[in-house]
């Protein structure tokens, strides 16, 4: 598997910012791995948590052009197009007071894109990203959807559009056929604060700005799926906790029901549509009587799932997508411990093997143009010690050219190895977990148990992660359990976590820490539990339930009382939908009436006086998922009996830190907090070396 690769060499590369300055694309080169870094050479916080200068690339439908989003510390993110025949570069779109957000090719001549602002937090953000289109030569610009009622485009010609779409218009997120000037956009209709009643679909002409609604669709539409020709073929509706899959017959344009299932708990006999192949075949994800899901064909004539899976991965639920080009299904992208591809096309399999031989130390994901007319293939390469980088492969010359990297200042030789491990919970359930161990002998280390949020999501996959790698660079082992209730590891694992907040889910996390002690990895006297959102809740309950195990805790944007999730937050508006509260939470989290005693027993807010360990709390003032009162009420309660509680509020932030200055500040506080309470001998704090350019200001906000 990918997680067993041994990193032996690192690549040196340049970001596309150099290309925009008319430098040629740099060819990938390898260098031998230097010796491990000393304390004084540890990378600064900024290397981990600054915004990336290069953050995306897409080949045009024919593969003749490459669209890239580039930026720098003192410049807004821009959209540029590289003509691959001569490597000439043209910046085609830039905003005066915003950054380029998402972008797609409409066809080989035209792009559509949104705006965002990476200089503001959620509290100061303008809602509605706007929508814009432009040709690759910077001609025929048009604003298609409003963003605060004005165009922010700087420079270039502009087509006036009197019928601009409203700000609640968003790209569908699926590429159409890419052979016309049309794209599809969605427009959610709100029935209250954060309550999406229905999601309408519109066909949008990116030259004229005219949009035509898709009519005749069933009520309560939520999610749409296009076929390979770019036509809307499936819509999933949702009402009263039941989701229904509806199919639009291309011959009659009428809709018919394929299946229904519980929106939040699913079912072993249900399925979810994933994609249409070039020949019109529908591919679905289903359990097919097994614990984990797999990818199957679906017969639309008989309404039957094919019994034989197309792709099945032992131990994992299927998560992935089809890889198609030139009217042919080439392969399937999937996620196991790491990402990979099953190729059905012999030529693509041979190309994969050749690129893997050239880049033996990374996972290498190949993307091909929709209607390829050139030898260019886009490659995303990454490893546990190596942040992702984007390259171009020329299938005629066999050359690899680096386009850019997400974190170019990171030196792989300073990064830690990550391993997927498994341990037994106290009731015998097997728990997967991600273990990141600093360079060295890997024994008797201070341990941070990093708990993922959700909780009903998959927490991580093998690869480079800023949070865990930063902690490892400071001398801490990091354990990230995929506790019961996490998705991606089968139905049994998911269902075992229902109604287990603060109970068996909590036990799984503690059992992971004790496993690390038994393995000799963790020093039992130096263990800290940390996490955000649900992970913040688990941090607080861990300090309550396992006082002998954890020496400290770090909770950011964490839930502090389940009843507060149900009841609202005074003048603070939560984005938790009423449908989720009515039909999802009672089954997965607990019922307010039937489980009232359990909610009291598992409330960190009501049990705050039991927490005596040092604690770091951080919350966003504009958080709508876990509004600020979760933090302020708990802080007020816990500090009455615990003098070692640190508090920070980032007023403009939401559910997590969008701004680099706040990420750097927060992780600087984390570093100082850990060094003080469980810090390794020879740590940056102990050695007096500080944290370099990333050392944050000290005063709490």
């Amino acid at each position: 598997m990918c997680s067993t690769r041994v990193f032996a060499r690192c690549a040196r590369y340049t970001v596309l910012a150099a290309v925009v300055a008319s430098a040629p694309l740099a060819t990938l080169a390898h260098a031998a791995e230097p010796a491990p870094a000393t304390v004084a050479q540890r990378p600064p916080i900024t290397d981990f948590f600054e915004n990336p200068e290069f953050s995306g690339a897409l080949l045009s439908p024919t593969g003749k052009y490459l669209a890239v989003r580039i930026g720098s510390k003192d410049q807004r993110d821009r959209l540029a197009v590289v003509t691959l025949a001569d490597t000439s570069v043209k910046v085609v779109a830039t905003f005066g007071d915003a950054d380029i957000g998402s972008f797609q090719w409409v066809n080989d001549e035209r792009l559509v894109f949104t705006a965002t602002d990476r200089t503001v937090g959620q509290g100061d953000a303008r809602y509605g990203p706007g929508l814009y289109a432009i040709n690759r030569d910077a001609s025929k610009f048009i604003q298609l959807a409003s963003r605060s009622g004005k165009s922010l485009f700087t420079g270039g010609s502009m087509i006036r559009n009197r019928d601009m779409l409203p700000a609640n218009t968003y790209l569908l997120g699926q590429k159409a056929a890419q052979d016309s000037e049309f794209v599809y956009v969605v427009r959610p209709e709100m029935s209250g604060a954060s309550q999406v009643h229905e999601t309408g679909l519109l066909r949008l002409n990116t030259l004229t700005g005219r949009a035509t609604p898709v009519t005749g669709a069933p009520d309560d539409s939520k999610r749409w799926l296009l076929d390979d020709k770019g036509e809307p073929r499936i819509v999933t509706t949702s009402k009263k906790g039941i989701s229904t899959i509806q199919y639009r017959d291309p011959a009659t344009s009428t809709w018919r029901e394929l299946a229904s299932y519980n929106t939040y708990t699913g079912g072993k006999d249900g399925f979810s549509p994933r994609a249409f192949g070039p020949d019109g075949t529908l591919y679905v994800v289903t359990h097919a009587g097994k614990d984990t899901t797999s990818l199957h064909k679906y017969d639309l004539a008989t309404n039957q799932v094919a019994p034989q899976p197309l792709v099945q991965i032992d131990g994992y639920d299927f998560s992935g997508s089809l890889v198609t080009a030139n009217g042919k299904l080439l392969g399937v992208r999937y996620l196991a411990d790491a990402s990979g591809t099953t190729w059905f096309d012999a030529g693509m399999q041979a190309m994969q093997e050749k690129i893997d031989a050239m880049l033996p130390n990374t996972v290498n994901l190949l993307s091909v143009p929709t209607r390829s007319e050139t030898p260019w293939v886009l490659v995303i390469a990454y490893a546990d010690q190596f942040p992702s980088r984007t390259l171009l492969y020329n299938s005629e010359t066999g050359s690899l050219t680096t386009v850019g990297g997400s974190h170019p200042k990171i030196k792989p030789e300073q990064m830690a190895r990550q391993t997927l491990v498994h341990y037994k919970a106290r009731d015998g359930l097997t728990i997967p977990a991600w273990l990141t161990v600093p360079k060295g002998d890997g024994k008797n280390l201070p341990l941070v148990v990093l708990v993922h949020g959700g909780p009903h999501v998959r927490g991580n996959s093998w690869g480079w992660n800023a949070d865990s790698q930063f902690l490892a660079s400071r001398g801490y082992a990091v354990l990230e359990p995929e506790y019961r209730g996490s998705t991606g590891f089968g139905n049994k694992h998911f269902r075992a976590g229902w109604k287990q907040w603060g109970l068996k889910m909590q036990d799984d996390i503690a059992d992971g820490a004790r496993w690390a002690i038994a393995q000799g990895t963790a020093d039992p006297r130096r263990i800290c539990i940390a996490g955000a959102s649900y992970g913040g809740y688990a941090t607080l309950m861990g300090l309550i339930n396992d006082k002998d195990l954890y020496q400290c805790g770090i909770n950011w944007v964490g839930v502090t009382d389940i009843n507060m999730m149900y009841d609202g937050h005074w003048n603070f508006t939560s984005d938790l939908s009423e449908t989720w509260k009515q039909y999802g939470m009672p089954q997965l989290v607990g019922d307010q009436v039937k489980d009232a005693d359990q909610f009291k027993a598992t409330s960190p807010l009501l049990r705050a006086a039991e927490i005596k360990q040092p604690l770091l709390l951080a919350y966003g003032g504009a958080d709508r998922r876990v509004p600020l009162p979760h933090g302020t009420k708990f802080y007020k309660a816990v500090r009455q009996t615990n003098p070692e509680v640190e508090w920070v509020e980032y007023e403009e932030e939401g559910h997590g830190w969008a701004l680099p200055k706040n990420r750097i500040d927060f992780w600087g506080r984390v570093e100082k907090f850990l060094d003080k309470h469980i810090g390794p001998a020879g740590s940056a704090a102990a050695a007096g070396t500080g944290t370099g350019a990333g050392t944050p200001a000290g005063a709490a906000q």
Side-chain angles (χ1 to χ4, degrees), residues 401-590:
T401 304
T402 301
V403 179
S406 62
H407 293 77
K409 295 180 182 178
I410 290 294
K411 298 177 181 178
E413 66 271 15
Q414 293 180 310
M415 298 295 102
R417 299 311 313 271
Q418 182 192 63
T419 308
L420 176 61
V421 300
H422 296 83
Y423 60 86
K424 291 288 187 181
R426 62 194 67 180
D427 65 355
L429 186 69
T430 299
I431 307 298
W434 307 96
L435 179 64
T436 305
V437 179
K439 289 183 175 296
D441 61 13
K443 296 296 181 181
N444 203 39
L445 297 168
L447 175 71
V448 177
V449 182
L450 192 59
V451 187
H452 73 74
H456 302 300
V457 298
R458 176 167 165 168
N460 209 342
S461 60
W462 187 83
W464 189 88
N465 176 271
D467 297 359
S468 56
Q469 287 290 347
F470 171 72
L471 292 170
S473 75
R474 269 52 186 172
Y476 300 96
V478 183
L479 184 71
E480 302 172 76
E482 299 282 2
Y483 47 81
R484 70 189 68 204
S486 301
T487 58
F489 300 94
N491 194 53
K492 177 183 176 182
H493 195 80
F494 169 52
R495 294 177 68 94
W498 293 7
K499 292 190 176 185
Q500 293 301 311
W501 283 49
L503 301 173
K504 290 184 179 180
M505 291 165 74
Q506 203 68 47
D507 293 343
D508 292 346
I509 298 164
D511 291 345
R514 293 191 172 98
W515 170 87
I517 294 171
Q519 295 294 308
T521 301
D523 181 344
R525 300 165 300 174
R526 296 186 294 168
I527 299 177
C528 188
I529 184 170
S533 196
Y534 171 83
Y537 167 88
T539 292
L540 302 178
M541 285 306 302
L543 298 176
I544 293 168
N545 289 359
D546 298 284
K547 299 177 177 63
D548 62 327
L549 183 63
Y550 304 117
Q551 281 71 55
C552 58
I554 303 167
N555 154 34
W556 65 106
V557 300
V559 172
T560 61
D561 183 84
I562 297 173
N563 278 314
M564 288 175 65
M565 296 170 65
Y566 270 107
D567 295 337
H569 310 275
W570 304 276
N571 293 326
F572 292 78
T573 302
S574 170
D575 66 2
L576 295 177
S577 72
E578 292 303 319
T579 302
W580 161 243
K581 293 178 185 179
Q582 185 175 358
Y583 300 106
M585 284 183 65
Q587 290 181 276
L588 272 66
V589 181

Side-chain angles (χ1 to χ4, degrees), residues 75-376:
Q75 277 191 303
R76 293 288 190 173
D77 284 1
R78 295 153 287 159
L79 182 63
V81 173
V82 183
T83 300
L84 295 177
D86 58 10
T87 67
S88 61
V89 182
K90 184 176 184 60
V91 175
V92 299
T94 179
F95 293 108
D97 62 348
D99 300 286
I100 298 295
S102 59
F103 61 98
Q104 295 178 6
W105 285 98
V106 181
N107 52 53
D108 228 46
E109 296 296 317
R110 195 153 179 80
L111 293 126
V112 64
F113 57 96
T114 66
T116 188
D117 193 342
R118 298 202 302 174
T119 68
V120 300
Q122 181 176 327
D124 299 320
R126 302 176 185 179
Y127 291 94
L131 189 60
Y132 309 83
I134 198 166
N135 280 3
R136 60 176 178 82
D137 63 359
S139 65
K140 297 184 179 180
F141 169 79
I142 185 172
Q143 182 173 0
L144 301 165
S146 173
R147 183 177 186 260
S148 301
K150 65 176 182 178
S151 171
L152 301 178
F153 188 72
T154 302
S157 60
M158 178 173 177
I159 299 173
R160 298 292 176 185
N161 178 21
R162 296 180 179 180
D163 301 317
M164 192 182 300
L165 294 167
N168 65 323
T169 302
Y170 307 92
L171 282 171
L172 177 62
Q174 303 171 39
K175 66 181 180 182
Q178 296 185 321
D179 58 0
S180 72
E181 64 267 29
F182 290 92
V183 296
Y184 280 94
V185 295
V186 291
R187 185 188 298 166
E189 296 179 9
M190 313 298 286
S191 57
S194 304
Q195 313 302 312
V196 177
H197 169 65
E198 190 167 273
T199 302
L201 183 69
L202 300 92
R203 187 170 184 256
L204 174 63
N205 187 309
T206 62
L207 281 172
T208 67
R210 295 188 181 93
T212 305
V214 174
T215 58
D219 294 335
D220 306 304
S221 58
K222 293 297 191 297
R223 296 186 303 277
W224 294 85
L225 182 65
L226 305 180
D227 63 18
D228 191 69
K229 296 178 176 61
E231 294 298 320
R233 194 62 60 207
I234 281 183
V235 64
T236 301
T237 64
S238 183
K239 188 174 183 179
K240 295 183 178 180
I242 300 297
S243 292
T244 302
I245 302 168
Q246 306 267 8
Y247 170 70
R248 179 172 172 262
D249 192 312
T252 63
S253 295
T254 57
W255 295 88
R256 62 183 171 90
E257 180 179 328
L258 299 184
S260 291
Y261 58 93
N262 186 289
T263 302
Y264 302 104
T265 61
K268 293 192 70 172
D269 297 325
F271 67 86
S272 62
R274 184 51 48 99
F276 283 89
D279 62 354
T281 299
L282 174 62
Y283 294 87
V284 301
V285 177
T286 181
H287 283 280
K290 296 182 172 59
D291 183 57
T292 56
T293 60
S294 49
L295 184 69
H296 294 247
K297 292 182 179 180
Y298 185 89
D299 190 330
L300 289 162
T302 63
N303 287 354
Q304 296 291 321
V305 175
Q308 186 66 28
L310 185 70
V311 176
Q312 182 175 333
I313 309 155
D314 290 343
Y316 298 93
D317 291 316
F318 178 83
S319 175
S321 58
L322 305 185
V323 182
T324 63
N326 298 323
K328 183 179 179 181
L329 176 61
L330 301 179
V332 173
R333 183 73 39 79
Y334 63 83
L335 177 64
D337 58 343
S339 294
T341 310
T342 295
W343 294 112
F344 307 131
D345 182 83
M348 290 302 302
Q349 178 61 38
M351 187 186 299
Q352 179 78 62
E353 293 171 358
K354 186 172 183 180
I355 292 173
D356 286 346
M358 298 172 72
L359 301 172
N361 306 307
T362 53
V363 173
N364 307 304
L365 306 175
L366 281 55
S367 297
V368 292
T370 306
R371 299 185 308 279
S372 180
E373 298 178 7
T374 68
W376 297 107

Side-chain angles (χ1 to χ4, degrees), residues 14-21 25 54 66 68-70 80 82 89 403-404:
T14 58
V15 297
L16 199 73
V19 181
V20 175
L25 291 169
F54 170 85
L66 183 71
V68 293
R69 182 176 51 224
I70 53 173
V82 183
V89 182
V403 179

